[in-house]
Amino acid sequence: MTLAAPGPAATPTAPDGKGAGPLLRAWRERRRVSQLELALRADSSARHISFVETGRARPSEEMVLRLAEHLDVPVRERNALLLAAGYAPHYPETPLDDPALDALRDGMERLIQGYEPYPALVVDATYTVVAANRGIAMLLEGVPESLLAPAPNAMRLTLHPDGLAPRIRNLREWRGHLLAQMERQIALRRSAALRELYEEVAAYPAPAGLGDSEPAEPAAYFALPMRIEHAGRVLSFVSSISTFNTPMDVTVAELAIETFLPADPATAKYLNSLVS
């Protein structure tokens, strides 16, 4: 699969109130940081932080960005803070198919293709698949076209009863892992689109009689594996997610590369046999 444009961007949801103050207070409370602690981090004073949060003082553009950095506010939400404070957005949001991101797209394509025969894919903030290698295509064999087009979603592909869910031998555990991952992302991004996706996939029924079987000979896994049936075999993978360090663009900040590493020698041997 090749890189495609991501789906519609999530719109941040602001708490009640006007200006940047309520937004900053919400992020501070979300991070469980006191006004004094934030002031010390940002080389300010607790009094000034209090005035900003209550609207008695208007923060400078530099102060908004500094507070956002120390509160680990996502890049998209930093733009929302700036707009609420009366400033222009600081971070551009470049479409993934824009020529300016040619080097990025080429690099990600090379990365996931170089990972073959092991599966790897790239997703955006709402888990829309924007690139995938042949290892992923192998796992998706037999999945209905309705789930694959026009913009496949990794969570739907995995948890839908017509997707991979009936093939996942430890579906209960893997489903719990994915839903918990989405919950963490919702808490971080406050995305209405991500919340809607979560409610959709959380409501999918688990296939009766499937997804709870255990391996005949328990293996000493080093992380929770996804145990999935393929061509009469049970393959085991552990996943790793990578993001870009210090992104300066909203689109780039919301991309994630997920790679699947064989969790046992049998899986590695089988995958390598496909290309030998």
Side-chain angles (χ1 to χ4, degrees):
M1 298 183 185
T2 56
L3 283 164
T11 301
T13 302
D16 292 337
K18 297 180 180 180
L23 284 167
L24 285 166
R25 182 175 64 248
W27 280 110
R28 180 181 60 77
E29 292 173 349
R30 189 181 300 268
R31 297 292 185 255
R32 299 181 180 179
V33 175
S34 68
Q35 290 181 341
L36 178 59
E37 184 178 354
L38 178 59
L40 292 173
R41 292 181 187 179
D43 193 24
S44 183
S45 67
R47 178 185 176 87
H48 183 60
I49 299 298
S50 176
F51 278 19
V52 167
E53 290 185 353
T54 58
R56 295 179 65 184
R58 181 188 182 216
S60 66
E61 181 178 6
E62 179 186 1
M63 176 60 74
V64 172
L65 290 172
R66 191 188 316 163
L67 294 176
E69 179 180 356
H70 288 292
L71 291 173
D72 194 25
V73 176
V75 171
R76 180 182 297 278
E77 299 289 349
R78 296 186 191 192
N79 279 345
L81 282 170
L82 287 168
L83 285 170
Y87 303 109
H90 182 77
Y91 301 95
E93 184 173 359
T94 309
L96 191 56
D97 57 359
D98 191 286
L101 297 184
D102 281 351
L104 174 75
R105 295 194 309 274
D106 182 65
M108 290 192 299
E109 286 280 11
R110 289 177 180 272
L111 181 62
I112 63 175
Q113 289 174 7
Y115 198 69
E116 294 173 354
Y118 305 154
L121 74 163
V122 183
V123 298
D124 67 10
T126 55
Y127 295 95
T128 298
V129 179
V130 297
N133 68 5
R134 287 179 292 182
I136 291 292
M138 175 198 69
L139 295 180
L140 294 177
E141 291 173 0
V143 171
E145 186 65 26
S146 60
L147 288 176
L148 295 173
N153 184 277
M155 289 298 177
R156 289 193 186 99
L157 287 169
T158 304
L159 298 178
H160 196 283
D162 294 330
L164 298 180
R167 309 178 196 175
I168 299 177
R169 299 289 290 273
N170 60 335
L171 179 59
R172 184 185 301 276
E173 290 178 304
W174 193 250
R175 178 179 181 273
H177 154 68
L178 293 182
L179 293 180
Q181 176 181 305
M182 293 183 73
E183 288 171 351
R184 290 192 296 271
Q185 290 299 105
I186 290 169
L188 176 66
R189 299 184 184 277
R190 301 182 304 128
S191 165
L194 192 57
R195 166 62 67 179
E196 183 178 349
L197 175 65
Y198 173 86
E199 292 175 352
E200 175 191 332
V201 299
Y204 290 159
L210 294 173
D212 295 311
S213 55
E214 294 295 331
E217 298 180 2
Y221 294 118
F222 47 88
L224 177 68
M226 177 181 69
R227 300 181 59 251
I228 185 167
E229 196 170 330
H230 174 75
R233 296 174 173 83
V234 176
L235 306 179
S236 295
F237 298 96
V238 292
S239 70
S240 174
I241 298 176
S242 302
T243 56
F244 290 93
N245 288 331
T246 321
M248 301 300 294
D249 186 282
V250 174
T251 298
V252 177
E254 295 179 347
L255 293 175
I257 302 169
E258 184 166 13
T259 55
F260 292 84
L261 182 71
D264 56 40
T267 299
K269 181 178 180 180
Y270 172 69
L271 293 175
N272 285 298
S273 73
L274 298 178
V275 295
S276 61

